[in-house]
Amino acid sequence: MKHDNNRGTLFKNSGKEAATHPDYKGSINIGGNEFWLSAWVSTSKTGDKYLSLSARPKTESKNPRAEGRVEKN
């Protein structure tokens, strides 16, 4: 799916087979560059739900070890 600049989409990951797989997957265009976007539903220590995100350039090989998660509580 092609996105306008600074726009993206996430879809529920219906193929999730392990807890480490993202709950949502999609893509985003940032500054004219396309990225794969992954999201995990997490719960903070106080019980608040939030999304933990990871972005990976579409030109990069698909290596799950290279995928970093960014969390904000």
Side-chain angles (χ1 to χ4, degrees):
M1 176 180 284
K2 188 82 171 159
H3 297 99
D4 291 335
N5 195 29
N6 298 321
R7 302 279 183 201
T9 55
L10 282 171
F11 298 95
K12 185 127 177 106
N13 183 5
S14 60
K16 182 174 177 165
E17 297 176 353
T20 57
H21 293 171
D23 296 304
Y24 294 88
K25 298 189 318 182
S27 60
I28 189 167
N29 179 315
I30 300 174
N33 298 305
E34 293 285 330
F35 293 86
W36 294 115
L37 189 60
S38 300
W40 292 260
V41 177
S42 300
T43 306
S44 71
K45 292 177 184 176
T46 59
D48 295 322
K49 296 269 187 185
Y50 67 95
L51 292 175
S52 176
L53 303 175
S54 172
R56 182 173 37 87
K58 283 192 173 184
T59 57
E60 189 176 288
S61 66
K62 196 170 186 178
N63 180 355
R65 291 184 190 185
E67 194 170 331
R69 292 172 68 171
V70 177
E71 297 186 10
K72 184 175 180 179
N73 292 326

